[in-house]
Amino acid sequence: MDFSEYTLISFGDSFTFGQDTVPPYVFTKEMEQSHESDVTQKQLKWKKECNEHSYTAVLAASMGFKNSLNFGIPAGSNERSLM
């Protein structure tokens, strides 16, 4: 089947998100004193890297999807997904 015109969408928990596929984001004392936007940028970079290594991205690439959207959330649950 040709998936080149479709977008793969996934919902789930930390496994879906891609947590632990890259080193974790660590909040240090130096970061506490740095500018808030620096901390935000590091968090966004970590999230992007996790999503790039998630099974959603791997599946989308291996099956030839046009794009993928990953709605995985660290510490997610069925109840949280339902809400």
Side-chain angles (χ1 to χ4, degrees):
M1 184 170 194
D2 181 19
F3 295 110
S4 62
E5 293 299 316
Y6 294 94
T7 298
L8 177 64
I9 300 173
S10 63
F11 297 88
D13 59 8
S14 54
F15 292 110
T16 305
F17 176 78
Q19 189 170 350
D20 290 336
T21 58
V22 296
Y25 171 76
V26 179
F27 189 76
T28 63
K29 290 277 186 188
E30 292 101 27
M31 289 178 174
E32 192 174 310
Q33 297 169 352
S34 71
H35 195 269
E36 187 176 322
S37 66
D38 294 338
V39 173
T40 303
Q41 289 301 319
K42 289 179 183 182
Q43 289 172 326
L44 291 174
K45 182 178 182 245
W46 176 76
K47 287 180 181 181
K48 182 178 184 241
E49 289 175 355
C50 285
N51 278 277
E52 287 172 350
H53 293 92
S54 69
Y55 82 86
T56 301
V58 171
L59 254 150
S62 66
M63 295 181 75
F65 279 89
K66 179 180 180 180
N67 199 0
S68 68
L69 297 174
N70 186 341
F71 292 104
I73 301 170
S77 65
N78 290 338
E79 182 180 355
R80 187 171 185 176
S81 294
L82 183 61
M83 297 305 279

